[in-house]
Amino acid sequence: MTYTMKEMVEYIGVSNTTLKRYENNDLVPSVWYTKGSHRRYGEIHVIAFKTIRSLLQGFDIPVAYQLMRAAKEKNFTEAHWLIAQTQEKLVKKKETLRMHKEFILTFPQKSMKKQTLRIGELAKFADVEASTIRYWEKRGLIEGIRDKSSGYRFFERNEVRKTIIITLLRKSIYKIEDIKKIVDEIEDKNLASIKKHYTTVNDELDNQLAMQLKAISSYMIYCEKLK
């Protein structure tokens, strides 16, 4: 059975521009053309387009596109490793979130191994770039202390806590001014808003995992059809 562009648009639920973009980006098997240069799609294209839409729900665009190209070229092992690497990153995000939540909600009872952290150590603990820490410091969100003897900048425990809170809030609050206000008003006995954000981010990660697993299932079926 073959499908016209109009039929495929209605079946997949996207615009013809979107279908053409997938084709132009080399994400689907070669499309057939009539003598009048009209596109004709087959069942494999239906599966391909559905797979793309599913992948885009669970993965970033570059990863979804890379997976589709790998399938088209029958580089299935490469695709499997890419999926594994992507899911490993998601697991790391989940673990980092758990670690940060534990640190924040037990602060100041929970002690740090070191009373102060250098910028590189703080960046690693917060799972952000050192340049990001410098930017936040420049904007007044956190404050470091310079050691006059060594010239290094150090961040005390309360600044570490602020940094962890900022890494969470920036996922859902976009204005630096809003983040600064929340961080400045945080008290040890009033962490309800932070707990709410942790729950939201945790639910988002759980949902992303579910979407990825659903997409992987569709992708595996698509790969089998191409073999």
Side-chain angles (χ1 to χ4, degrees):
M1 182 176 180
T2 60
Y3 302 83
T4 63
M5 171 65 82
K6 182 179 179 180
E7 290 171 332
M8 188 63 76
V9 164
E10 294 176 351
Y11 196 73
I12 302 300
V14 297
S15 67
N16 59 1
T17 302
T18 298
L19 294 183
K20 291 177 182 178
R21 183 170 69 249
Y22 294 155
E23 182 182 347
N24 292 336
N25 278 281
D26 201 28
L27 306 182
V28 299
S30 299
V31 177
W32 310 317
Y33 285 81
T34 66
K35 291 182 179 180
S37 298
H38 297 294
R39 288 175 172 81
R40 290 295 182 267
Y41 301 100
E43 292 296 334
I44 193 64
H45 296 104
V46 173
I47 299 174
F49 288 133
K50 285 186 175 181
T51 301
I52 294 173
R53 302 304 297 173
S54 184
L55 286 173
L56 288 172
Q57 291 183 36
F59 296 88
D60 293 337
I61 293 176
V63 174
Y65 278 26
Q66 192 174 344
L67 286 172
M68 291 302 297
R69 293 191 185 104
K72 182 181 177 182
E73 296 169 4
K74 296 183 171 55
N75 293 329
F76 303 121
T77 300
E78 175 188 324
H80 296 164
W81 278 113
L82 178 58
I83 289 172
Q85 290 167 1
T86 304
Q87 292 216 290
E88 182 182 14
K89 291 179 181 179
L90 189 61
V91 170
K92 182 181 179 182
K93 286 183 180 180
K94 182 84 169 181
E95 178 59 23
T96 299
L97 181 70
R98 184 201 62 77
M99 180 180 67
H100 288 175
K101 179 180 180 181
E102 180 181 322
F103 177 81
I104 293 299
L105 298 185
T106 58
F107 187 94
Q109 292 83 5
K110 185 174 181 178
S111 61
M112 292 167 51
K113 292 181 179 180
K114 298 176 63 176
Q115 291 305 305
T116 59
L117 297 180
R118 285 168 55 175
I119 189 169
E121 296 171 324
L122 178 57
K124 183 177 180 180
F125 183 67
D127 196 25
V128 296
E129 297 293 330
S131 58
T132 302
I133 300 295
R134 294 190 186 94
Y135 175 72
W136 290 343
E137 187 179 13
K138 183 179 180 181
R139 295 301 300 270
L141 276 68
I142 55 177
E143 184 177 357
I145 301 174
R146 185 173 296 280
D147 187 308
K148 295 182 180 179
S149 61
S150 66
Y152 291 123
R153 295 191 68 74
F154 291 89
F155 296 85
E156 296 181 330
R157 295 172 70 244
N158 194 56
E159 300 308 307
V160 175
R161 180 179 71 159
K162 286 183 180 180
T163 303
I164 299 305
I165 292 174
I166 295 167
T167 61
L168 174 70
L169 295 183
R170 70 171 182 164
K171 300 179 187 299
S172 53
I173 298 177
Y174 302 100
K175 292 183 179 179
I176 288 291
E177 294 75 16
D178 292 336
I179 296 178
K180 189 176 188 305
K181 182 179 179 181
I182 291 177
V183 171
D184 289 343
E185 293 178 352
I186 283 295
E187 298 178 1
D188 295 333
K189 296 181 180 180
N190 182 24
L191 293 173
S193 61
I194 299 302
K195 290 180 181 179
K196 181 178 179 180
H197 281 293
Y198 272 112
T199 299
T200 299
V201 175
N202 187 71
D203 289 345
E204 289 174 352
L205 289 176
D206 288 345
N207 183 63
Q208 186 177 0
L209 175 62
M211 291 295 98
Q212 283 191 2
L213 294 176
K214 181 179 179 181
I216 291 169
S217 178
S218 297
Y219 185 71
M220 291 298 104
I221 293 173
Y222 176 54
C223 288
E224 284 298 321
K225 294 290 184 181
L226 291 174
K227 287 182 179 180

